[in-house]
Amino acid sequence: MTDSVAIALVSGGLDSMVSAARAREEGHRLLALSIDYNQRHQVELAAARRIAAALGAERHVVMPLDLRAFGGSALTADIDVPKGGVGDDIPVTYVPARNTIFLSLALGWAEAAGARDIYIGVNALDYSGYPDCRPEFIHAFETMAELATKAGVEGKPFAIQAPLQHMTKADIVREAARLGLDAGMSWSCYDPAPGSLHCGLCDSCRLRSKGFEEAGLPDPTRYAAVP
């Protein structure tokens, strides 16, 4: 373990758990950041707390930022979460500029804490087509961070680490197993069913279930319906 500190965005989902675990494996001390944006699936924040504790984060900040004031997404407004399967268009579960907002908050904490690395669990293969999960976005934000901060101007740029960027969901499931993580701690569902069950039918549930199936590993997730 080195003296380097990394900020890990920990949503409570499987991808962010694996990303944060990679930060730890790569020798960083962890500062975990979760955003309580008044999302429909608030249960994911309980998962984020479990994950941050299990990974030994030195500090876990759960920052309130009520994006329901803006709406514009099935996760932040009274809009039904689609259950018909992953399509080709950007779905209504996209939260406007979410990763830009979250990375900006992580950048602020990174500069204050003297961290150079920010870990985020985005991937651009098995995903719902959100534009802020693409490599182009990650690269552009990294460039912006160098221009927008005192540290960047003084020659101490930030690295936006997206270790899952080019992984399939099956790859991510296998990576969780390799890292010795309990995937059952994580939460993926956008529309939780009664009894603390994943709905099984939203895009996120379908991608999660498909990942375990294709990885050939047991899925610890309790679904209300079969994806």
Side-chain angles (χ1 to χ4, degrees):
M1 186 67 72
T2 70
D3 289 331
S4 67
V5 179
I7 309 297
L9 281 163
V10 179
S11 68
L14 179 64
D15 296 356
S16 72
M17 177 173 71
V18 173
S19 174
R22 282 282 297 268
R24 185 185 64 175
E25 182 183 55
E26 289 161 12
H28 299 290
R29 294 156 44 212
L30 280 185
L31 299 177
L33 176 61
S34 305
I35 312 299
D36 179 358
Y37 60 100
N38 208 355
Q39 56 269 54
R40 179 191 296 263
H41 52 314
Q42 283 271 309
V43 65
E44 74 170 357
L45 292 173
R49 292 183 177 93
R50 291 193 298 269
I51 291 165
L55 293 178
E58 295 185 5
R59 190 177 174 203
H60 180 207
V61 170
V62 180
M63 179 168 288
L65 182 69
D66 189 359
L67 294 183
R68 288 189 73 89
F70 296 161
S73 166
L75 304 189
T76 58
D78 293 326
I79 301 170
D80 290 339
V81 172
K83 301 290 180 69
V86 181
D88 295 329
D89 297 328
I90 297 171
V92 73
T93 50
Y94 164 73
V95 178
R98 179 173 59 181
N99 284 342
T100 306
I101 294 166
F102 290 3
L103 278 172
S104 296
L105 294 170
L107 176 62
W109 193 9
E111 187 167 30
R116 300 270 73 81
D117 294 278
I118 298 170
Y119 281 74
I120 183 170
V122 296
N123 78 88
L125 293 181
D126 282 343
Y127 76 126
S128 293
Y130 301 151
D132 53 3
C133 289
R134 295 174 300 162
E136 301 94 318
F137 165 72
I138 297 299
H139 176 71
F141 191 94
E142 204 170 54
T143 300
M144 183 278 295
E146 184 173 354
L147 295 171
T149 59
K150 178 176 182 289
V153 168
E154 292 178 349
K156 294 175 284 187
F158 298 89
I160 309 302
Q161 306 286 2
L164 317 185
Q165 186 79 80
H166 302 292
M167 290 186 181
T168 65
K169 192 64 75 173
D171 293 333
I172 294 166
V173 168
R174 294 188 194 100
E175 185 72 347
R178 184 190 70 79
L179 291 163
L181 301 173
D182 175 7
M185 286 196 304
S186 64
W187 183 273
S188 297
C189 181
Y190 290 148
D191 193 22
S196 298
L197 301 177
H198 282 60
C199 76
L201 299 177
C202 69
D203 285 4
S204 190
C205 280
R206 290 175 187 272
L207 290 168
R208 181 183 177 103
S209 175
K210 175 173 175 275
F212 280 98
E213 181 180 357
E214 292 184 350
L217 293 172
D219 186 351
T221 314
R222 296 168 60 234
Y223 298 104
V226 178

